[in-house]
Amino acid sequence: MGTTETMSYEEQRRRRLEENKKKLEQLNLPHLSVALRDAAASPKTSPAKQIKRKMSRDASLTPVRRSVRVASLPEPNYREVASDFVDRPRRIARVLKRRGLDDRVYASDEAREYAQTKAEEIEAGLDPKFPSFVKSMLQSHTTGGFWLGLPIIFCNKHLPKRGATITLIDENGDESDTTYLAHKRGLSAGWKGFSINHELVHGDAVVFQLIKTTTFKVYIIRASEYDSS
């Protein structure tokens, strides 16, 4: 009984294999698999890429479409020719009048001492109820950085504890606004303009008299006056 069942199973398996083989032959699958294997061994450019390359080659030969209005005009030539260039003048940057390092003036020790002494004489003749001090001009005050540091004791005692606008009034009554930086105890923005407009140089002495909370009356003594004296 067992042998009969085994032969029957083997017979059924053989028949199924033969039927599957016939179906594959009908579908032509063996030839298709061989063709795919050959294609993988020697890849060819896809038809889409071939069309794209052909179009790119033909595009260079295709004339540019032009409107009716300019169709009668000659073809434009974009090739650069040396004679076509026009020698244009270069834009000249605006030169601002300012005092640089090359314009520095160095006063002698005698001239500085002369200006300092004259400034102290003027300060001595001012109303004592208005606090004042004398500042001798250094290079950093009149060129380059244009930063004017003020006496620390004077700032702590008389000037605002926070930044403020301080007005400088010269001997002609002209006013100039400057920015006082409380944490640095000095004049920043606006001092440069005041220094340049009043032609301050190294060795000059300036008297600052605080006539209001944020207003200084300013007196200038020139170091150059030493030579003329």
Side-chain angles (χ1 to χ4, degrees), residues 98-119:
R98 64 182 182 87
R99 188 180 305 149
L101 302 180
D102 296 335
D103 301 323
R104 282 185 170 182
V105 175
Y106 294 88
S108 64
D109 293 340
E110 293 79 8
R112 290 186 60 189
E113 184 178 356
Y114 168 85
Q116 180 74 17
T117 301
K118 288 294 183 180

Side-chain angles (χ1 to χ4, degrees), residues 176-195:
S176 301
D177 289 336
T178 62
T179 299
Y180 172 66
L181 303 181
H183 64 289
K184 291 187 176 181
R185 299 180 181 86
L187 301 182
S188 180
W191 168 252
K192 176 180 179 179
F194 181 88
S195 175

Side-chain angles (χ1 to χ4, degrees), residues 25-141:
E25 291 177 352
Q26 292 175 358
L27 296 174
N28 203 22
L29 292 180
H31 299 286
L32 181 60
S33 62
V34 172
L36 292 175
R37 185 169 58 252
D38 295 341
S42 58
K44 297 181 180 180
T45 307
S46 64
K49 291 184 178 179
Q50 291 178 354
I51 295 174
K52 185 175 181 180
R53 290 179 180 176
K54 183 177 180 181
M55 291 178 62
S56 62
R57 289 195 300 267
D58 295 341
S60 61
L61 303 177
T62 304
V64 179
R65 297 181 61 184
R66 310 178 70 194
S67 64
V68 178
R69 183 172 58 86
V70 297
S72 59
L73 299 178
E75 291 290 337
N77 184 5
Y78 299 106
R79 185 178 61 182
E80 295 182 350
V81 181
S83 59
D84 293 340
F85 291 103
V86 179
D87 188 13
R88 297 192 180 110
R90 295 182 179 179
R91 179 179 296 179
I92 300 176
R94 182 183 177 188
V95 180
L96 299 177
K97 182 180 180 181
R98 64 182 182 87
R99 188 180 305 149
L101 302 180
D102 296 335
D103 301 323
R104 282 185 170 182
V105 175
Y106 294 88
S108 64
D109 293 340
E110 293 79 8
R112 290 186 60 189
E113 184 178 356
Y114 168 85
Q116 180 74 17
T117 301
K118 288 294 183 180
E120 292 173 354
E121 292 177 357
I122 293 176
E123 182 187 21
L126 299 177
D127 191 337
K129 71 177 181 179
F130 298 110
S132 61
F133 64 89
V134 176
K135 190 73 176 178
S136 179
M137 296 292 100
L138 304 177
Q139 295 293 355
S140 60
H141 302 153

Side-chain angles (χ1 to χ4, degrees), residues 4-38:
T4 304
E5 290 179 354
T6 301
M7 292 179 61
S8 176
Y9 171 77
E10 292 294 336
E11 181 66 20
Q12 291 178 2
R13 181 173 177 276
R14 184 181 62 78
R15 290 179 179 178
R16 283 198 299 270
L17 290 175
E18 291 179 355
E19 292 176 357
N20 292 337
K21 185 177 181 180
K22 291 180 180 180
K23 291 180 179 180
L24 291 175
E25 291 177 352
Q26 292 175 358
L27 296 174
N28 203 22
L29 292 180
H31 299 286
L32 181 60
S33 62
V34 172
L36 292 175
R37 185 169 58 252
D38 295 341

